[in-house]
Amino acid sequence: MHALTFRGLHVLTFSGLHVLTFRGLHVLTFRGLHVLTFRGLHALPFRGLHVLTIRGPHVLAFGGLHALTFRGLHVLAFRGLHALALRGLHILVFGGLHTLAFRGLHVLTIGGLHALTFKGLHVLAFRGLHALAFRGLHVLAIGGLHALTFRGLHVLAFRGLHALAFRGLHVLTVRGLHVLAF
């Protein structure tokens, strides 16, 4: 065992353990473990694990995992997965999947699929399909087909065919032929 003190510097070594303190700096090493603290900074690397904190921010790295927290911000990355959270905002990315959530707004995209919901509004798009729903209004478009329904009104259009139905009134037009029933 070896020990030394000199004007605020303190050093101790003992069977693989090394300790040093000097004016707020503290260092310890022992068999691959290293710890350092200095005025709010704390660092620890140990066998692939790395941890750092400094007056609020906290950082961790281990293997492919990386994490950070700071004043309500939380970030995580691990093998293609990325996540972020900040004051009600949540974002996640993994491969082709992207999601976002913020105060009632939810968005998702994966491949060619896109979906959104917000305060009763629902929207979906996938390749040639588009759909919307909002407070009784429903709209659908796929290929050449378009359809709409709203409070008893029904409308359909497909190539040259157009149809409308509303409270007993029915209208159909197809290639110059017009039919009305009431």
Side-chain angles (χ1 to χ4, degrees):
M1 179 167 100
H2 300 79
L4 177 138
T5 63
F6 179 73
R7 294 187 180 175
L9 170 67
H10 306 280
V11 179
L12 176 112
T13 65
F14 179 72
S15 184
L17 169 67
H18 307 277
V19 179
L20 177 143
T21 66
F22 181 69
R23 295 185 182 167
L25 170 67
H26 306 279
V27 180
L28 179 143
T29 66
F30 182 69
R31 296 184 182 168
L33 170 65
H34 306 280
V35 179
L36 179 140
T37 67
F38 181 68
R39 296 184 183 167
L41 167 68
H42 307 286
L44 182 147
F46 182 66
R47 296 185 181 167
L49 169 66
H50 303 326
V51 180
L52 182 134
T53 68
I54 179 168
R55 294 186 186 159
H58 297 69
V59 180
L60 180 139
F62 183 69
L65 171 66
H66 298 79
L68 177 141
T69 66
F70 180 66
R71 293 185 182 168
L73 169 66
H74 305 278
V75 180
L76 183 134
F78 182 67
R79 295 185 182 168
L81 168 68
H82 298 79
L84 179 142
L86 174 67
R87 297 185 181 138
L89 170 66
H90 298 78
I91 298 173
L92 183 132
V93 177
F94 183 66
L97 170 67
H98 299 72
T99 65
L100 180 141
F102 183 67
R103 296 184 181 169
L105 170 66
H106 298 80
V107 180
L108 178 139
T109 66
I110 183 167
L113 171 66
H114 306 276
L116 178 144
T117 66
F118 182 66
K119 294 184 179 177
L121 170 66
H122 305 279
V123 180
L124 183 128
F126 182 65
R127 296 187 180 155
L129 167 69
H130 298 80
L132 179 142
F134 183 67
R135 297 184 182 168
L137 170 66
H138 298 79
V139 181
L140 174 97
I142 182 167
L145 171 67
H146 298 77
L148 178 143
T149 66
F150 182 67
R151 295 185 181 168
L153 171 65
H154 305 278
V155 180
L156 183 128
F158 182 66
R159 296 188 180 153
L161 169 73
H162 298 81
L164 179 141
F166 183 67
R167 295 186 182 164
L169 170 65
H170 297 77
V171 179
L172 175 98
T173 65
V174 59
R175 293 189 184 144
L177 171 66
H178 304 284
V179 179
L180 182 133
F182 184 68

